[in-house]
Amino acid sequence: MASRDPTNQPLTGNAAQAFASSRQDSGAGDDVVVGLAFSGGGMRAAAFAHGVLRELNDTTVRTRIGTHSLLDNVTFVSGVSGGSVAAAYFGLKKREALNDFRERFLIRNAEEGLSTSIDPVNLVRALGGGVNDVRVFARWLDQNLYNGATFADFRKTPGPRIWINASDIYNRTPFIYGEASFISLCSDLASYPIADAVAASAAVPIVFTPMVIKTYPKQCTDQPPEWLQRAYASPNAPPLLKGFANALYSYRDGTTKYLKLVDGGLVDNFGLSGFTISRLAAREPHEPLSPEQAVRLRRMMVVLVDAGRGPSGNWVQTVDGPTGSELIMAAADTAGQASVNASFTAFQSIMSDWQRQLSAWRCSLSPELRRRYGVPANWNCRDIKLVVTRVGFDQLGPERAKALNAVDTRLKLPVDQVDAVIAAGRDALGVNSAYLEFLKSVGGRTHQPAPMPGEPAAPAESAPVAAFPGLPDFTPASSFSEAR
């Protein structure tokens, strides 16, 4: 059965407005935006994401505000399941997260207190809703990693906006831990424990019970936002937006009294729904950016960090098989990989369309609006580029990919495997052709990082990447989601 005693609290007073006004976005005054989407995949996914963050930190770029680490331009991070552990810790500690995430999580046993054996007792528990109470995992995360932090702690210092994604299994939609969702719940996001959100995002069905969130419909007095009313009322709204709007209305009117949340990878293993919904709900070409942000944006890159599983087992070589356990795992992997393929393709299309719309909107601005939005002198309205790329094990060669795919997706790994996956994250980003082209456009270069524990030092510093000629000098967008 699902875990009891939801930890989310009702809204009181002007809590929602105060939380909304507390945002301190990173990258203010700059003209480059980097977004990251960390996939699911247990400890393996968290290690791969950590490697990507280390590579970004060890890359220098020359932008409007000067020469600095590209990690400073990370403006939003989306995380699912194991990837949400890394996303949340980075959002909480920013660059300091790179110093101790390996020791505090990656080489620890996050399965402490969990039952992982296959026996009759666990079979009964599985049939009752889940082998392990998800709150046990949430408490472990809180005690060992997040130390009582809530969503309000994300905003105590400037930094990236963080999206933690779970799945609402009744309404069959993504659940995005953000302002829109919690306002519809009539609940206070600021006081919600980060550990509970991450545990919900990683709550693999059967292994864990669902995380429960309570709705407080009588606490809401204001009207739903206009975009939500429009999507809810329109039978022709895009299916993703329509389903999300229907779910939010069910929270708000009390039709759904208790949400039951599980692994976000079931519906969106990259957690891209937040941005996709924002674009689908937009009324203006610049949204969800402000006009001032949209005229300043020059380069944006979104990196999808995919630690998903490759095919496992050898039962395709025989008439027999798969076994029951293999079939459950294969079904989960199939669902997750299908969501990755679909969301990646859709996201590429949305970003491509948005780039065209932004360029047309910017070039159509009147002189008066250009002055109002702060367009600088010698501005090129068409000089904007939005890039989406994916990094994965398969981009590191077949032998290395095979070894990496053999690393388990559980919450406990040998130290050598952890370090191998971290190194893979750094290497997969460092050799990615789209990433290297992006660095050229922002005057970027990689430099020699300090070796990680267990990692040999590289022999020499890489050569600088030539700056892209003729780029204008102006400030960029901050970021685009609601939840941080």
Side-chain angles (χ1 to χ4, degrees):
M1 63 191 309
S3 302
R4 298 170 184 256
D5 302 324
T7 55
N8 65 305
Q9 301 299 313
L11 276 175
T12 57
N14 65 346
Q17 293 83 353
F19 184 69
S21 65
S22 68
R23 176 176 297 140
Q24 301 183 63
D25 290 327
S26 61
D30 209 348
D31 58 353
V32 172
V33 166
V34 175
L36 302 171
F38 296 153
S39 79
M43 193 75 78
R44 187 175 82 177
F48 197 55
H50 183 63
V52 167
L53 289 172
R54 287 183 63 93
E55 181 67 19
L56 290 169
N57 188 53
D58 293 329
T59 299
T60 300
V61 291
R62 187 173 66 251
T63 66
R64 184 180 188 272
I65 64 172
T67 301
H68 54 87
S69 167
L70 186 56
L71 193 72
D72 297 333
N73 293 91
V74 174
T75 320
F76 70 93
V77 185
S78 178
V80 174
S81 195
S84 71
V85 184
Y89 196 64
F90 177 62
L92 188 63
K93 296 192 67 175
K94 284 70 178 184
R95 177 173 275 104
E96 290 183 11
L98 302 184
N99 297 331
D100 63 2
F101 185 64
R102 177 182 178 274
E103 285 66 33
R104 295 191 66 179
F105 181 72
L106 295 177
I107 61 174
R108 296 285 305 280
N109 179 11
E111 296 178 1
E112 288 177 333
L114 301 180
S115 181
T116 60
S117 62
I118 300 175
D119 56 40
V121 173
N122 282 342
L123 178 59
V124 172
R125 290 175 177 171
L127 294 174
V131 174
N132 297 284
D133 186 337
V134 71
R135 295 295 301 281
V136 172
F137 183 45
R139 285 195 294 270
W140 189 94
L141 288 169
D142 198 51
Q143 293 167 3
N144 292 279
L145 201 59
Y146 302 119
N147 301 120
T150 69
F151 275 73
D153 291 296
F154 278 144
R155 300 190 176 188
K156 288 186 175 179
T157 57
R161 303 184 188 186
I162 304 299
W163 305 342
I164 299 174
N165 303 269
S167 298
D168 176 347
I169 54 175
Y170 181 79
N171 290 294
R172 291 172 286 184
T173 62
F175 181 84
I176 304 160
Y177 276 90
E179 291 170 48
S181 298
F182 270 70
I183 288 174
S184 295
L185 292 165
C186 307
S187 184
D188 180 24
L189 179 61
S191 64
Y192 192 81
I194 292 173
D196 283 16
V198 172
S201 180
V204 177
I206 300 178
V207 177
F208 291 105
T209 60
M211 181 68 75
V212 178
I213 290 185
K214 183 179 180 180
T215 64
Y216 298 94
K218 294 183 179 180
Q219 300 295 126
C220 289
T221 57
D222 56 340
Q223 292 295 314
E226 189 273 336
W227 72 264
L228 180 55
Q229 297 182 53
R230 186 174 73 251
Y232 179 71
S234 173
N236 299 317
L240 176 61
L241 180 62
K242 179 67 173 175
F244 188 67
N246 289 349
L248 294 190
Y249 259 84
S250 79
Y251 309 158
R252 187 180 183 87
D253 65 17
T255 302
T256 298
K257 294 182 179 181
Y258 294 96
L259 281 72
K260 311 297 170 65
L261 304 178
V262 296
D263 190 338
L266 292 182
V267 295
D268 182 6
N269 203 38
F270 273 136
L272 296 174
S273 298
F275 178 77
T276 303
I277 288 169
S278 296
R279 279 301 304 152
L280 294 175
R283 298 295 296 269
E284 300 292 338
H286 59 77
E287 293 178 349
L289 300 177
S290 70
E292 293 80 7
Q293 291 172 329
V295 299
R296 297 166 187 167
L297 179 62
R298 180 165 61 90
R299 295 292 182 268
M300 178 187 293
M301 183 173 206
V302 180
V303 182
L304 310 185
V305 183
D306 183 5
R309 293 179 64 88
S312 59
N314 61 358
W315 38 266
V316 293
Q317 305 300 326
T318 65
V319 171
D320 298 325
T323 64
S325 60
E326 288 176 330
L327 185 59
I328 292 172
M329 183 61 69
D333 290 345
T334 299
Q337 191 60 46
S339 75
V340 164
N341 295 341
S343 62
F344 179 59
T345 302
F347 191 69
Q348 282 184 310
S349 177
I350 285 172
M351 292 291 279
S352 179
D353 289 344
W354 193 37
Q355 177 177 309
R356 289 192 292 269
Q357 293 167 16
L358 276 175
S359 179
W361 173 80
R362 285 160 40 130
C363 293
S364 69
L365 292 174
S366 66
E368 178 184 355
L369 289 178
R370 293 189 180 201
R371 286 192 297 271
R372 180 187 303 176
Y373 298 150
V375 171
N378 302 317
W379 178 59
N380 180 354
C381 62
R382 293 183 175 84
D383 184 26
I384 181 171
K385 188 171 181 62
L386 314 181
V387 179
V388 181
T389 192
R390 169 190 163 274
V391 295
F393 297 161
D394 57 302
Q395 298 164 356
L396 295 171
E399 291 303 315
R400 193 174 180 187
K402 182 179 179 180
L404 292 165
N405 275 314
V407 176
D408 210 331
T409 55
R410 59 189 301 170
L411 295 169
K412 173 187 176 183
L413 292 175
V415 174
D416 61 332
Q417 290 189 350
V418 168
D419 289 334
V421 177
I422 294 173
R426 298 173 64 165
D427 293 345
L429 181 62
V431 301
N432 181 276
S433 59
Y435 178 69
L436 295 176
E437 286 298 317
F438 177 77
L439 290 183
K440 288 181 183 179
S441 74
V442 295
R445 60 181 291 173
T446 59
H447 62 78
Q448 179 58 50
M452 294 169 38
E455 180 184 67
E461 180 177 302
S462 60
V465 179
F468 191 84
L471 294 180
D473 186 21
F474 60 97
T475 52
S478 187
S479 179
F480 25 77
S481 160
E482 318 173 41
R484 209 198 93 187

